[in-house]
């Protein structure tokens, strides 16, 4: 098992290198690990997996009911939803099928619901149902006044996105993939059948290249001579409400979608909180993950209409993520066999759901491009630590010291994360793996103890 964060990469060429260790890149690396005769690298610009869009999203496992029928995205989301649900059950990743309600607040929105139900059928989702206002309020009694009806979408689920990405990457590394962190790609060229990537840690060589660089996928694409799409960072700001708000909402509450996305929603999380968001702000800055007073004010205004009582609850945190929007309405996944190169771009908010199906699709393209993908093997399953409130947590078994009382993260959980296959290299990475410091006090009480454990046990000690 090889995970590196400094020093030069190996000089011997890899058979395949995947650039970008988000949920999609990690899923592709995991799929390639099923072919043990291949030498595979997963290259990440930052110091941990899942540091981009994969860590800052609404954590929803979509059914794909509202995807544009006939698109690659619709097909891969539909397949990926089933694959990820099964994978989560196998890997102990918390998932809750709470279902969704697409709420209509005016006559125009209500008149759009039957069309969305028909679209769901075209996407092979047959169990949606139109609800009257009375039926809607019976399901969601805390909903704000004035809703006219809804489309009920069973199967929409909430999931832990951090554990999903980490599980993929862990299986990849245990299966023989080399993970190189802190290795941002600045230049790329190809000579005599070998790509040379100029990374922040020195040159890396590979015969086949997969570009899963997320917000920077178009930049790498251009380095290799392609201009099929341009990424526009679309910022989504979100507000995280305290666990006391959890009883206010039973479903994912969705608005009628617009051209910019699914709009502002309210959803429970597997961690017991409630999310309000996201905004949809097209920006030029691919690092603009800060929250703004204006954005949060917009969210509060919309949230007050949807679920008025939510605004009386305590806010635990705010955060923002950037989605890789493009000028196209579909994923930008394409093969360039003459370059032994695959582009995996324009993967927006549905990337988590579609990740395993995208991985299967990309490996198929690699096979068609000449990569020998013979005799795949089954990978050893992984068992992720449970971070979900609906499932047994380690503290409930007793016998261990609780370090973070807000999130009930135990000493054993923290120590296990610090010596894991892919250990955290920052306190933020440790928080994603254990929830320590992610609760109501944001580490005010446990921060010193967690930092001490990290500094004594972590990989950077």
């Amino acid at each position: 098992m090889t995970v590196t964060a400094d020093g030069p990469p190996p000089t011997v060429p890899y058979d395949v290198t995947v650039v970008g260790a988000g949920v999609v890149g990690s899923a592709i690396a995991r799929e390639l690990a099923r072919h043990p005769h291949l030498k595979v690298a997963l290259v990440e610009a930052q110091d941990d997996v899942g540091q981009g869009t994969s860590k800052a999203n609404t954590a929803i496992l979509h059914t794909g009911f509202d995807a544009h029928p006939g698109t690659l995205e619709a097909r891969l989301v539909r397949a990926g939803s089933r694959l990820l649900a099964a994978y989560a059950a196998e890997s102990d990743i918390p998932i809750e099928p709470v279902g969704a309600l697409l709420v209509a607040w005016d006559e125009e929105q209500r008149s759009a619901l039957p069309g969305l139900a028909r679209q769901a059928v075209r996407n092979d989702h047959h169990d949606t149902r139109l609800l009257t206002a009375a039926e809607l309020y019976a399901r969601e009694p805390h909903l704000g006044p004035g809703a006219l009806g809804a489309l009920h979408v069973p199967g929409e689920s909430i999931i832990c996105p951090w554990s999903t990405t980490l599980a993929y990457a862990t299986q990849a590394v245990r299966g023989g993939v080399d993970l190189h962190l802190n290795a941002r790609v600045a230049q790329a060229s190809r000579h005599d059948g070998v790509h040379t990537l100029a990374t922040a840690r020195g040159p890396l060589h590979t015969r086949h290249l997969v570009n899963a660089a997320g917000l920077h996928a178009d930049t790498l694409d251009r380095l290799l001579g392609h201009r099929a799409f341009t990424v526009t960072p679309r910022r989504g700001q979100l507000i995280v409400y305290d666990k006391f708000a959890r009883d206010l909402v039973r479903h994912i509450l969705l608005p009628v979608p617009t051209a910019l996305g699914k709009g502002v929603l309210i959803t429970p999380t597997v961690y017991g909180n409630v999310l309000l968001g996201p905004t949809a702000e097209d920006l030029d800055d691919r690092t603009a993950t800060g929250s703004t007073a204006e954005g949060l004010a917009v969210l509060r205004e919309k949230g007050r209409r949807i679920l008025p009582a939510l605004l009386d609850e305590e806010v635990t945190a705010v955060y923002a993520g950037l989605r890789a929007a493009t000028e196209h309405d579909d994923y930008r996944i394409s093969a360039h066999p003459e370059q032994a190169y695959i582009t995996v771009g324009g993967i927006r908010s549905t990337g988590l759901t579609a990740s395993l199906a995208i991985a299967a699709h990309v490996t198929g393209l690699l096979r068609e491009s000449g990569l020998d993908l013979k005799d795949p093997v089954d990978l050893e399953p992984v068992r992720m630590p449970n971070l979900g409130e609906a499932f047994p947590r380690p503290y409930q078994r007793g016998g261990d010291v609780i370090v973070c009382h807000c999130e009930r993260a135990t000493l054993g959980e923290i120590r296990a994360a610090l010596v894991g296959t892919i250990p955290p290299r920052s306190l933020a990475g440790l928080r994603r793996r254990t929830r320590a410091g992610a609760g109501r006090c944001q580490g005010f009480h446990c921060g010193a103890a967690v930092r001490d454990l990290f500094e004594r046990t972590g990989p950077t000690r």
Side-chain angles (χ1 to χ4, degrees), residues 139-260:
R139 289 176 174 269
E140 290 289 351
H142 297 284
L143 201 66
L148 303 181
L151 180 67
H152 180 221
V153 188
E156 293 278 301
S157 304
I158 53 178
I159 190 172
C160 176
W162 307 332
S163 298
T164 303
T165 304
L166 184 60
Y168 292 164
T170 296
Q171 271 192 304
V173 170
R174 290 179 182 175
V177 173
D178 290 349
L179 171 61
H180 299 301
L181 303 169
N182 297 324
R184 182 178 298 277
V185 175
Q187 293 292 333
S189 59
R190 187 171 185 263
H191 302 286
D192 298 327
V194 176
H195 294 274
T196 296
L197 305 179
T199 79
R201 293 171 44 194
L204 183 147
H205 309 284
T206 186
R207 295 184 180 87
H208 290 260
L209 179 61
V210 178
N211 171 7
L215 290 166
H216 302 280
D218 61 334
T219 303
L220 180 53
D221 218 37
R222 281 163 171 71
L223 292 176
L224 291 165
H226 305 285
R227 295 182 175 275
F229 64 96
T230 298
V231 170
T232 298
R234 182 167 292 163
R235 180 167 62 189
Q237 301 185 50
L238 296 108
I239 300 175
V240 184
Y241 285 91
D242 193 75
K243 298 177 192 298
F244 284 120
R246 179 62 182 85
D247 289 339
L248 294 176
V249 59
R250 301 172 183 174
H251 303 74
I252 302 165
L253 301 179
L254 298 172
V256 176
T258 68
L260 280 178

Side-chain angles (χ1 to χ4, degrees), residues 219-340:
T219 303
L220 180 53
D221 218 37
R222 281 163 171 71
L223 292 176
L224 291 165
H226 305 285
R227 295 182 175 275
F229 64 96
T230 298
V231 170
T232 298
R234 182 167 292 163
R235 180 167 62 189
Q237 301 185 50
L238 296 108
I239 300 175
V240 184
Y241 285 91
D242 193 75
K243 298 177 192 298
F244 284 120
R246 179 62 182 85
D247 289 339
L248 294 176
V249 59
R250 301 172 183 174
H251 303 74
I252 302 165
L253 301 179
L254 298 172
V256 176
T258 68
L260 280 178
K262 297 182 184 299
V264 174
L265 57 86
I266 291 176
T267 178
T269 74
V270 294
Y271 319 113
N273 304 95
V274 175
L275 288 183
L276 168 62
T279 57
E281 310 157 57
D282 285 349
L283 308 172
D284 295 322
D285 185 354
R286 303 188 190 207
T287 64
T289 56
S291 300
T292 66
E294 296 80 10
L296 298 179
V298 168
L299 292 181
R300 285 192 294 267
E301 178 184 354
K302 292 182 179 295
R304 184 172 289 108
R305 181 183 191 185
I306 302 167
L307 205 68
L310 184 63
L311 276 295
D312 296 328
E313 299 293 332
E314 294 290 332
V315 172
T316 295
V318 298
Y319 67 92
L322 297 175
R323 289 160 277 174
T326 73
E327 66 272 40
H328 303 281
D329 291 331
D330 201 359
Y331 293 163
R332 310 310 296 168
I333 301 177
S334 56
H336 306 280
E338 72 285 355
Q339 291 180 297

